[in-house]
Structure formats: C-alpha cells, structure tokens
C-alpha cells in the first residue's frame, strides 16, 4: 500500500494528466482487466471502459514481449495507438496497466 506522500503524488499526477489538452480520461486496470479506477463514469462510456480494460492489458503484454524478444535486457514502458478518432497511450507496470484516452486532431 502506498504511503500518504506517494498517494498524494499519484493523485497529483492523475490530475495533471486529466488536465492535458485533448485528454478525455484514463482507465487503470489490473492485468486481468478489472477496472481499478477510471474517469469515465457516464453510462455511454461504460461499454468502452469494459472493452478497453479487457483488451489493452493483453496488447500491452504482447508489446512488452516483443520488446523483450528483440532485446532481453530492454523493458517496454509505453505504447501509443492512434486511430482516426482516438489516441490510446498505454503504460504497463507490475500488476496494472494505465490507459490514457485522448481525441485525435481530426476528432477535436
């Protein structure tokens, strides 16, 4: 369990990420795809959150494996996926995956 100081730093980081231009929100999920925290709380967003939280941990794990296959001493830190409408930034750590969702220039 994080210390109070670390918890404050985490909260400040999440707030800073949420306030970046174009950011629609974030999802933090465990490796099994269970949502631990999200800023997407509206009814229409629930399907998107469920799909992303289930699919993206596997994508992050595959990307991490690909990086290790290329260089066993290297570690994947970040994956960026851009579509016509959204951009997904995925960061994998031990036990969880964080996904930041933002609109692309065309969708803004």
């Amino acid at each position: 369990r994080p210390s109070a100081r670390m918890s404050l730093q985490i909260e400040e980081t999440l707030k800073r990420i949420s306030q970046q231009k174009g950011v629609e929100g974030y999802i933090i999920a465990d490796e099994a795809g269970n949502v631990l925290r999200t800023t997407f709380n509206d009814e229409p967003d629930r399907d998107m959150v469920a799909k992303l939280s289930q699919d993206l941990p596997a994508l992050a794990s595959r990307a991490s494996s690909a990086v290790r296959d290329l260089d066993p001493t290297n570690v994947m830190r970040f994956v960026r996926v851009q579509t016509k409408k959204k951009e997904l930034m995925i960061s994998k750590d031990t036990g969880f995956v964080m996904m930041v969702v933002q609109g692309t220039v065309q969708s803004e």
Side-chain angles (χ1 to χ4, degrees):
R1 184 167 166 95
S3 68
R5 180 178 176 168
M6 184 181 287
S7 292
L8 180 60
Q9 289 174 331
I10 292 168
E11 291 301 320
E12 289 172 352
T13 300
L14 293 174
K15 183 178 178 183
R16 191 174 66 247
I17 288 169
S18 295
Q19 293 174 342
Q20 293 297 310
K21 183 178 183 200
V23 169
E24 296 175 6
Y26 62 82
I27 304 164
I28 301 173
D30 64 17
E31 291 175 329
N34 300 305
V35 177
L36 303 174
R37 188 163 175 186
T38 183
T39 55
F40 295 103
N41 296 313
D42 294 337
E43 186 68 37
D45 295 328
R46 289 194 184 131
D47 285 340
M48 177 195 67
V49 170
K51 288 175 185 172
L52 288 176
S53 66
Q54 289 298 309
D55 294 342
L56 290 177
L59 173 64
S61 290
R62 286 190 176 139
S64 182
S65 293
V67 168
R68 258 193 325 274
D69 289 347
L70 293 170
D71 179 357
T73 64
N74 207 352
V75 177
M76 188 219 49
R77 300 265 184 219
F78 187 79
V79 174
R80 187 175 185 169
V81 177
Q82 188 173 23
T83 69
K84 288 182 180 180
K85 297 180 181 179
K86 304 281 184 205
E87 188 170 33
L88 309 172
M89 291 156 289
I90 308 154
S91 179
K92 183 179 185 302
D93 205 332
T94 305
F96 71 93
V97 177
M98 179 172 181
M99 299 157 267
V100 176
V101 180
Q102 70 180 34
T104 61
V105 174
Q106 294 94 353
S107 69
E108 292 177 352

